[in-house]
Amino acid sequence: MNAHAFDSITADRLRENGSLKWTAFPGTIGAWVAEADFPVAPPISAALHDAVDRGLLGYLPPALVTGVREAYASFAADRYSWVVDPARVHPASDVLTALEHTIRHFSRPGSPVIVPTPSYMPFHTLPRELGREIIQVPMARDAAGRYTYDLDALDAAFAAGGHLLILCNPHNPIGRVLEPAEMLAVAEVVDRHGGRVFSDEIHAPLVRPGRRHVPYASLDETTAGHTLTATSASKAWNLPGLKCAQVVLSNDADVKLWDEVGERIEEGASTLGMLANQVAYTEGRDWLDDVVAYVQGNVTRLGELLEGSGIGYRAPEGTYLAWLDCRDLDLPGGPGSAATFFREQAGVTLVDGADCGAAGRGFVRFNAGLPRPLLEEAATRMRAVLDR
Ligand SMILES: Cc1ncc(COP(=O)(O)O)c(C=O)c1O
C-alpha cells in the first residue's frame, strides 16, 4: 500500500506541537483523549488564515450563522438523507454545553438522566454537576462482542423516573453505529414513557467507508418529536479547540422553548469555530473521505496486531475509537488495572474503561486517530509487555 502523508507525522513533532493528547503524559504515546493527530484540512486552514488577516475576530457575524446553518443542512441532506430546515440548526460552543442546556431546559426538572453504558465519561459526571442523578443502563453484548440496547433495562430506567435518554451514535467508546431498526425499538420505549432523547451525533461523519449514518431524529415523527440532536465538525475535522457545535431542533415545541432560552447558548460558539465548521461541511468533504479511509486502515491494522494477544477486539463501525476487552488478561493489578498497566509498562496512554461506567471495567479505549506507524508502535509495545 502507498504511504499516506499522515504516516510521516512523528511522535516528536506531535509533542513539540504541544497538544493535550501528547503532553499530559510525557514520554508516552497519546492514544487517549478523543482528538486525532491529523493536520488541519487545507480549505479550513486557508479560511482561518484569511479570517485572521482580515481581522474577522469579533462577535458572531450573522452571515456566518446563516452560512453554518446552510452548510450543515446541505451536508445532512447529502450525507445522511436528512432534510433539515436551516433555521432549526443552532450554534453552541460544544456538544457538552448543548447537553447541559438540554438537561436544564428540556428534561423534566429534577429527573434522573438515563445513560446507556459503557459511555463517554462526562455523561456520568455532567448530570451530577447539575444536581441530577444518573441511571446507568448497561448495554447487552452478543457472543461476538457486539453491543445492543437492552430494551427491558431501558424500560425499567424510564419506569424508575428517568426522563432524558442520552443516545450516542456513533457510540463513544464502543464504536457502534446504530441501525434504523434498533433505533426504532428504542424510540418505542422512549415514546411509551413520554421521554426525551439527547442524540449526540458528534462522531457522525466518521463511519466506516461505504456506510451511512442515520440521524435518530430523521427516522419518523415520533423520534423528531422527542429529540434534540447535537453534532459538530470538531471530531471528524479535528477542531475541538475552536469551540463550535450545532444543535438541530426537530419539533415546534422545542423551537418555541429554544427561542426563550437559546440566546446565551448560541453566543458561546466562536467566530473562528463557526467559520471552520462551515468550510468543513462544504469544502472539507474530500478530506473527510480520506480520513475515514485512513482510520479504517488503522483499525484493521490494529486488529491484525492484536490477534492472538488475549485482548478482545471488534473493529469499530464508526469513530476512531477502539474498545479493547482486557478482562481475560492476567494483569498484575487485576482486570481493572489495564490502562495503568499499559501506560506504565508499555508507555501507551489509554482511557480506562471503568471511567465509562461499571460496564466498562476491564476494558480500555484506544484512540486510533494516530499516524499509522505510531499506532503500530503502540500496539506492538502493548503486545510486547503481555508476552513478557
Ligand atoms: C460522544 C462525545 N460527545 C461529546 C464530546 C465532547 O464534545 P465537545 O468538545 O463538543 O463538548 C466528545 C468528545 O470526545 C464525544 O466523544
Side-chain angles (χ1 to χ4, degrees):
M1 211 170 94
N2 294 337
H4 191 286
F6 296 167
D7 292 346
S8 62
I9 301 167
T10 63
D12 283 347
R13 189 164 128 204
L14 291 164
R15 289 189 186 113
E16 274 163 30
N17 211 21
S19 66
L20 169 69
K21 184 168 179 277
W22 281 88
T23 59
F25 300 92
T28 66
I29 293 181
W32 60 292
V33 67
E35 58 187 38
D37 296 323
F38 314 136
V40 184
I44 298 177
S45 176
L48 292 174
H49 278 103
D50 176 60
V52 172
D53 291 345
R54 287 188 291 130
L56 189 72
L57 299 174
Y59 292 117
L60 273 188
L64 202 47
V65 176
T66 307
V68 171
R69 292 184 142 147
E70 288 173 353
Y72 178 74
S74 139
F75 186 80
D78 293 345
R79 292 292 173 114
Y80 312 144
S81 307
W82 189 23
V83 178
V84 171
D85 177 354
R88 292 184 166 196
V89 179
H90 296 272
S93 58
D94 50 75
V95 166
L96 284 179
T97 301
L99 172 61
E100 175 187 335
H101 289 284
T102 301
I103 293 171
R104 276 188 202 286
H105 304 296
F106 293 83
S107 76
R108 191 185 301 130
S111 61
V113 174
I114 302 173
V115 181
T117 61
S119 80
Y120 174 52
M121 304 73 82
F123 295 162
H124 296 267
T125 48
L126 189 144
R128 292 194 174 111
E129 287 161 20
L130 301 174
R132 299 295 187 91
E133 291 300 316
I134 65 159
I135 303 178
Q136 293 192 33
V137 179
M139 294 180 77
R141 213 160 172 258
D142 67 18
R146 191 172 198 236
Y147 286 89
T148 51
Y149 279 92
D150 180 339
L151 297 175
D152 291 337
L154 209 51
D155 187 71
F158 280 107
H163 183 232
L164 180 74
L165 165 68
I166 302 180
L167 193 90
C168 187
N169 181 38
H171 190 130
N172 171 2
I174 60 177
R176 274 296 324 274
V177 173
L178 294 176
E179 284 159 22
E182 51 189 332
M183 289 190 275
L184 287 170
V186 169
E188 197 274 317
V189 178
V190 177
D191 186 50
R192 187 161 7 107
H193 291 276
R196 307 264 7 222
V197 168
F198 177 80
S199 190
D200 178 336
E201 302 185 11
I202 195 169
H203 292 277
L206 291 166
V207 298
R208 215 187 253 169
R211 192 170 178 138
R212 249 174 133 82
H213 165 77
V214 178
Y216 178 80
S218 75
L219 286 167
D220 61 21
E221 276 190 19
T222 303
T223 59
H226 63 216
T227 305
L228 285 94
T229 304
T231 192
S232 172
S234 63
K235 292 291 155 198
W237 285 269
N238 220 15
L239 308 164
L242 285 180
K243 290 292 167 193
C244 176
Q246 296 81 46
V247 177
V248 186
L249 304 179
S250 45
N251 62 74
D252 294 342
D254 288 345
V255 169
K256 195 160 173 284
L257 184 50
W258 188 276
D259 281 347
E260 290 164 30
V261 302
E263 194 176 338
R264 290 285 159 271
I265 309 171
E266 298 193 5
E267 283 174 359
S270 82
T271 296
L272 291 182
M274 291 284 281
L275 180 62
N277 273 244
Q278 181 187 2
V279 175
Y281 289 133
T282 50
E283 296 170 53
R285 297 182 187 190
D286 291 344
W287 190 90
L288 170 69
D289 295 340
D290 184 38
V291 164
V292 165
Y294 190 82
V295 168
Q296 184 61 28
N298 274 4
V299 298
T300 304
R301 185 78 185 114
L302 182 63
E304 289 164 5
L305 291 166
L306 294 181
E307 185 72 42
S309 66
I311 296 175
Y313 171 68
R314 213 191 133 82
E317 298 162 359
T319 79
Y320 43 63
L321 304 169
W323 185 236
L324 308 183
D325 185 350
C326 301
R327 290 173 301 171
D328 289 341
L329 301 178
D330 190 18
L331 299 179
S337 66
T340 309
F341 174 80
F342 287 122
R343 191 179 66 249
E344 291 179 350
Q345 303 300 318
V348 179
T349 303
L350 308 162
V351 170
D352 196 310
D355 295 338
C356 302
R361 193 178 141 76
F363 291 76
V364 290
R365 192 189 76 177
F366 180 111
N367 179 345
L370 289 161
R372 190 153 315 145
L374 294 177
L375 173 131
E376 289 170 339
E377 187 181 337
T380 306
R381 285 199 208 169
M382 288 167 68
R383 269 207 88 128
V385 293
L386 292 176
D387 293 343
R388 262 204 313 242

